[in-house]
Amino acid sequence: MTTQATDLLNEGNIFLINQDYEAAEIRFNSVIELLENSDAKKGQSEQECAPSIFPSQLFRALSHRSAARLSILNKTADALTDAKLALRILEKTDSSNDTTDLIPGEVAMAHGRSGMALYKLEEYAEAKDAFSYAVKLGNGGSAVDWSNWVLRCEDMARKLKKSPKKSAAVVPSSPVALPPPSNVDAVSKKALPPVCPKYQYYQNDSVLTIAILQPNVQSQDLKVDISLDKLTVLLKKDDVEFTVIYGTLFDAVDVSKCKVKITDEKVLVKLRKKNKHEWHELFGSGARDKGDGADEKDGQSIVKKNDKDDKLDEKKKSPEQTPRIDPKKSVSRPYASHKDWNAIERNLKEEEENEKPQGDEALNKLFKEIYGKGDEATRRAMIKSYQTSGGTVLSTNWDEVSNKDYEKDDRECPNGMEWKNWEGKKLPKKD
């Protein structure tokens, strides 16, 4: 497979994931044309030995184009043709061709896409056969449950028997072989209990998109509540309401720019991030700074917050209380601001000095003060005792420390601990 065809196939897959189906179809058209032209250049003798030079890649391009056309208006019949062409390639492929790079579940997905096209064309019997064969092959870890589609086909077939017959949809004639008839065990007709839909998400620095993997969702069955840093998604399925998502988000979102989009295959919830950065996970501690927009729903709480601000310590000055300079008396400055930055700096230093640290921070501050205010002998004693003892001794008496060797004879350690070298051997210590 040429590098150009590989790049086009990857581009088409990206457009397919981003639901730009028309652009994806154009890329897949180019891939198929390149592969077919490459095949046509081979001699007649080589063509007799193998139906296609790149069977697995051509299969993938046709199957993915079928997926794109399923979501494009008036292209359901073309999607069915692509799915059948992809399956026909596998039927004609012999052991000499390389199809080992197919992803598990990829063949079942092609049968499933054929079934979805038939389902849209109201060919429920053939659609059921295609879905049943997909069930037999297994979904390869995909989130799609083909057995549910089998039950849907059976349900629609029963409804058609009760209602007047409709004219069958015309499918364009094609020399494509039909999927092999299903010989799997009959799927139980008993309706399975509904299960909560699954979801997945992907993101960039600006937007996080959540895909709820539930097809054919009606707008009246979906309820999405988005606030500054909370998300709730309720979905009604088979008369049972499920809480699909509920919790506090990793960071704040811009509620006014968040969107919900319902497609045939899934529901997309697009969250616009307030701060452009990658979220480590979907849920977390919420907005880092709740000062902006935290009270979007309740304006009264903002008023109460302002009332509390009036009772703050008088030492904390508001912006209006910031020291300023009389422009007539001041010297010319490099900036146009009239704030007294020297006074502001003094105020900040006073606040830092008045802060009362606790725990380890208070202990470290004490050691810093002792070292900063001590003489040369005190500093030398603190450095030698702490470094040579491995952090077990800190002394300010140089007369005592100068004669001791904490690395050998005067080695000490806390009770319940012992000294060892890198090889694990015990070292002597002072009793």
Side-chain angles (χ1 to χ4, degrees):
M1 186 175 182
T2 63
T3 305
Q4 185 180 2
T6 305
D7 295 340
L8 287 170
L9 183 59
N10 291 335
E11 288 179 11
N13 292 334
I14 293 172
F15 283 120
L16 187 61
I17 292 172
N18 293 330
Q19 300 182 4
D20 191 348
Y21 302 114
E22 288 79 5
E25 182 189 23
I26 293 173
R27 296 317 189 274
F28 295 139
N29 289 341
S30 301
V31 174
I32 294 168
E33 184 179 355
L34 281 172
L35 294 177
E36 288 177 348
N37 291 340
S38 178
D39 197 5
K41 290 179 182 178
K42 292 294 181 179
Q44 182 66 26
S45 59
E46 294 182 358
Q47 289 186 12
E48 292 174 357
C49 297
S52 176
I53 299 174
F54 309 106
S56 58
Q57 289 81 3
L58 187 57
F59 165 84
R60 182 173 292 123
L62 286 167
S63 178
H64 290 193
R65 187 173 72 174
S66 173
R69 286 178 168 178
L70 277 171
S71 300
I72 300 176
L73 188 64
N74 298 328
K75 288 205 173 183
T76 304
D78 295 333
L80 176 60
T81 303
D82 283 345
K84 289 181 177 180
L85 280 171
L87 295 171
R88 186 185 180 190
I89 289 173
L90 294 185
E91 291 176 5
K92 286 192 172 185
T93 302
D94 56 24
S95 58
S96 63
N97 285 301
D98 182 18
T99 57
T100 57
D101 61 339
L102 290 178
I103 301 172
E106 198 166 6
V107 179
M109 186 64 72
H111 284 283
R113 286 163 180 163
S114 172
M116 293 177 73
L118 289 166
Y119 185 90
K120 286 189 173 184
L121 295 171
E122 299 184 2
E123 297 290 342
Y124 301 116
E126 295 182 31
K128 177 185 174 183
D129 290 339
F131 289 133
S132 299
Y133 202 80
V135 172
K136 178 185 176 182
L137 294 175
N139 59 9
S142 171
V144 182
D145 187 358
W146 300 118
S147 59
N148 284 340
W149 283 96
V150 175
L151 295 175
R152 288 187 187 186
C153 293
E154 292 176 351
D155 186 46
M156 293 303 297
R158 283 194 298 269
K159 290 180 180 179
L160 281 179
K161 288 180 180 179
K162 295 179 182 180
S163 61
K165 294 185 178 179
K166 298 180 181 179
S167 57
V170 179
V171 181
S173 58
S174 172
V176 181
L178 291 174
S182 173
N183 57 354
V184 296
D185 296 334
V187 181
S188 174
K189 293 185 178 181
K190 184 178 179 181
L192 299 174
V195 294
C196 183
K198 298 180 181 179
Y199 68 89
Q200 58 190 19
Y201 66 91
Y202 52 93
Q203 62 175 313
N204 55 33
D205 288 343
S206 303
V207 180
L208 183 140
T209 303
I210 304 173
I212 302 172
L213 307 177
Q214 179 63 33
N216 303 324
V217 174
Q218 303 299 322
S219 57
Q220 62 268 21
D221 296 335
L222 179 67
K223 183 180 179 182
V224 180
D225 184 16
I226 305 174
S227 61
L228 177 69
D229 57 359
K230 294 184 184 298
L231 174 63
T232 304
V233 179
L234 304 177
L235 181 60
K236 193 173 183 181
K237 178 181 176 184
D238 297 336
D239 297 328
V240 179
E241 189 173 61
F242 292 98
T243 302
V244 183
I245 302 174
Y246 176 77
T248 302
L249 299 172
F250 185 80
D251 203 350
V253 298
D254 190 343
V255 181
S256 61
K257 296 182 180 180
C258 296
K259 298 180 181 179
V260 178
K261 183 178 180 181
I262 300 177
T263 66
D264 292 339
E265 298 178 351
K266 52 192 169 184
V267 177
L268 296 176
V269 180
K270 297 188 177 183
L271 303 177
R272 175 72 63 173
K273 301 176 183 177
K274 237 178 182 181
N275 303 314
K276 292 186 177 182
H277 65 91
E278 183 178 356
W279 292 7
H280 301 308
E281 53 189 349
L282 178 59
F283 298 114
S285 57
R288 300 295 185 270
D289 182 8
K290 297 191 177 183
D292 298 331
D295 300 301
E296 292 179 0
K297 295 186 178 180
D298 188 3
Q300 295 181 356
S301 59
I302 300 176
V303 178
K304 292 180 181 177
K305 183 178 179 181
N306 292 335
D307 293 340
K308 292 180 181 178
D309 290 341
D310 296 337
K311 299 179 182 179
L312 291 175
D313 197 314
E314 295 179 357
K315 293 181 181 180
K316 295 183 179 180
K317 298 183 179 181
S318 61
E320 290 75 11
Q321 296 173 322
T322 304
R324 292 180 175 272
I325 302 173
D326 186 355
K328 297 179 180 178
K329 299 180 181 179
S330 63
V331 236
S332 57
R333 294 175 177 269
Y335 302 105
S337 173
H338 296 298
K339 294 182 181 180
D340 189 348
W341 294 107
N342 295 328
I344 293 174
E345 185 179 2
R346 287 194 300 271
N347 292 343
L348 291 175
K349 287 183 178 180
E350 289 178 4
E351 290 180 5
E352 291 178 359
E353 292 175 358
N354 293 333
E355 286 182 359
K356 295 181 179 180
Q358 297 178 353
D360 293 340
E361 188 179 352
L363 189 61
N364 291 333
K365 184 179 179 181
L366 175 63
F367 292 152
K368 286 180 181 179
E369 290 179 356
I370 295 175
Y371 185 85
K373 297 177 181 179
D375 55 13
E376 188 65 28
T378 301
R379 295 180 181 180
R380 192 163 57 242
M382 293 178 71
I383 292 173
K384 179 182 177 182
S385 62
Y386 193 78
Q387 289 184 348
T388 58
S389 68
T392 60
V393 177
L394 180 62
S395 175
T396 58
N397 188 350
W398 174 246
D399 295 336
E400 177 186 350
V401 173
S402 60
N403 299 323
K404 288 192 175 183
D405 186 358
Y406 293 105
E407 293 180 335
K408 293 182 180 179
D409 300 333
D410 298 313
R411 185 183 290 111
E412 298 179 10
C413 67
N415 293 332
M417 302 179 71
E418 56 186 12
W419 277 92
K420 289 185 179 181
N421 60 11
W422 292 107
E423 298 176 353
K425 295 181 180 179
K426 294 183 180 180
L427 298 176
K429 64 178 181 178
K430 183 179 179 181
D431 296 333

